[in-house]
Amino acid sequence: MAIKNTVTTLFEMKERGEKISQLTCYDYTTACLIEKAGINTVLVGDSLGMTMQGYDTTLPVTMEEMIVYGRSVVRGCPSAFVIMDMPFMSYQCSVDEAVRNAGRLIKETNANAVKLEGGATVVEQIRAISGAGIPVCAHIGMTPQSVNAFGGFKVQGKGEENARKVFEDAIAVCEAGAFMCVLECIPPKLASLISSKVNMITIGIGASSNCDGQVLVYQDMLGMSQKIAPKFAKVFANVGDIMVQAFKDYDEEVKNMTYPAECHTYVKSDCDDEFLAKLVNESK
Ligand code: KIV
C-alpha cells in the first residue's frame, strides 16, 4: 500500500534538505506512470489549456474542465500529493468566489491542495482558502495567467526593483498561509534567498536548483511538445519521436496487412466453415 505524501511529509523533506519532485499531469494513464516513478507531487496545471487543448495561453481553461482532468489524475495517484490549479478568473473577482471554487476543486476531484497565481494581490484569497482548511500553493515570478500584462512569457525579478517585488510577493503569500510556492522564471540568487528565508516549500521552474523542489510540464520533459520548448525544459527522453515512429509503423502495417498477425486474433474460438455457410443460407 502506497504511503501518501502530505503537507507534513513534504515539510519534513524540506527540513532534511531532500529535494521534492513535481510533474504536471492531466490524465489517468500518465498519472499511474508518474506514481510508479515515485514522483512526490503532481500538479494538474491549467497548462492543460496549451498541452491538452491546443490554446496559445492558459486563459480559456474553465473550472469544469479542470475538474474533469483533475478527477482522472487523482484516481491514478494513491501516494503523490495532487495540487489543482485554479483557472483564470476563478479566484480574482472576489474572496468568496475564490473559496467556493477552491472548495469545488477539492470536493469534486478529491485532490489535496489548490494553486493560484499572484503575490500581494491575492493574499486575501490565500488567507481565506487556507482558513477553510485547504492547503494553498502560491505561484509567483512569471505567472502565465498574466501573459497579456507581461507582454509575453518573460523572465521576472530581474534588476533590484523587480527582485524586491518578487521577494515581497513571496513573504506576502507565506504570511497569508501558503504552504508551497511555485517560483517561475526568476534568477537563481533570488530563488535561493526566497527558499532560505521564507517558511514555505519552494518549487522552481526556470528558477535554478536553489529551490526545495522542481516542477516540469511532462510533455516538455518527454520531448512531446510540438512548440518551441522554454530554455529550462530539459528533455529527459524523446518519447515524442518514439510515438511518431510507432504511429508510422502502425500505419504501414495496417496498409500492408502485417498487422494484425495470427497472434493478435482469436483463431481458437472461431466458428467452423460449415456453420458460417449455414449462417449465409439462413440470411437468404
Ligand atoms: O499550469 C502549470 O502547469 C503550471 C506549472 C508550469 C508551474 O503552473
Side-chain angles (χ1 to χ4, degrees), residues 7-20 195 198-202 212-213:
V7 170
T8 312
T9 63
L10 295 171
F11 264 112
E12 284 166 359
M13 286 179 76
K14 177 177 168 105
E15 272 158 33
R16 289 195 298 269
E18 217 177 294
K19 298 290 179 186
I20 294 164
S195 304
V198 181
N199 186 28
M200 59 183 174
I201 296 160
T202 60
D212 301 317

Side-chain angles (χ1 to χ4, degrees), residues 139-142 154-158 182-192 203-211 213-217 220 230-234:
H139 183 161
I140 61 173
M142 206 289 285
K154 293 180 178 161
V155 176
Q156 301 296 307
K158 286 197 290 189
V182 170
L183 307 179
E184 181 158 357
C185 293
I186 64 166
K189 283 186 189 164
L190 182 57
S192 174
I203 301 289
I205 176 160
S208 81
S209 58
N210 302 339
C211 302
Q214 297 293 321
V215 59
L216 277 178
V217 169
D220 286 346
K231 182 180 176 183
F232 56 76
K234 176 176 171 182

Side-chain angles (χ1 to χ4, degrees), residues 83 183 235:
I83 303 165
L183 307 179
V235 176

Side-chain angles (χ1 to χ4, degrees), residues 6-162:
T6 64
V7 170
T8 312
T9 63
L10 295 171
F11 264 112
E12 284 166 359
M13 286 179 76
K14 177 177 168 105
E15 272 158 33
R16 289 195 298 269
E18 217 177 294
K19 298 290 179 186
I20 294 164
S21 54
Q22 184 173 109
L23 282 173
T24 66
C25 186
Y26 322 101
D27 68 280
Y28 173 76
T29 304
T30 311
C32 292
L33 298 173
I34 287 175
E35 171 79 17
K36 214 169 168 182
I39 299 295
N40 302 116
T41 75
V42 163
L43 171 65
V44 184
D46 62 353
S47 51
L48 65 84
M50 300 166 83
T51 57
M52 304 299 283
Q53 299 178 327
Y55 293 119
D56 288 336
T57 71
T58 57
L59 305 183
V61 177
T62 65
M63 278 289 295
E64 280 63 33
E65 288 166 343
M66 287 305 301
I67 288 166
V68 171
Y69 287 99
R71 274 183 191 146
S72 318
V73 171
V74 169
R75 284 187 210 115
C77 288
S79 75
F81 184 90
V82 182
I83 303 165
M84 291 293 303
D85 231 343
M86 297 195 71
F88 182 56
M89 283 301 133
S90 67
Y91 59 92
Q92 287 92 341
C93 296
S94 78
V95 172
D96 275 5
E97 202 175 6
V99 176
R100 211 164 287 124
N101 281 327
R104 263 196 83 189
L105 289 174
I106 299 298
K107 267 178 97 92
E108 296 182 37
T109 67
N110 203 24
N112 310 110
V114 297
K115 173 168 91 57
L116 52 85
E117 295 182 10
T121 54
V122 291
V123 289
E124 291 313 321
Q125 284 88 334
I126 294 175
R127 193 166 288 122
I129 296 168
S130 44
I134 299 170
V136 178
C137 174
H139 183 161
I140 61 173
M142 206 289 285
T143 45
Q145 291 178 11
S146 304
V147 59
N148 291 317
F150 290 148
F153 298 106
K154 293 180 178 161
V155 176
Q156 301 296 307
K158 286 197 290 189
E160 290 179 5
E161 201 183 316
N162 294 326

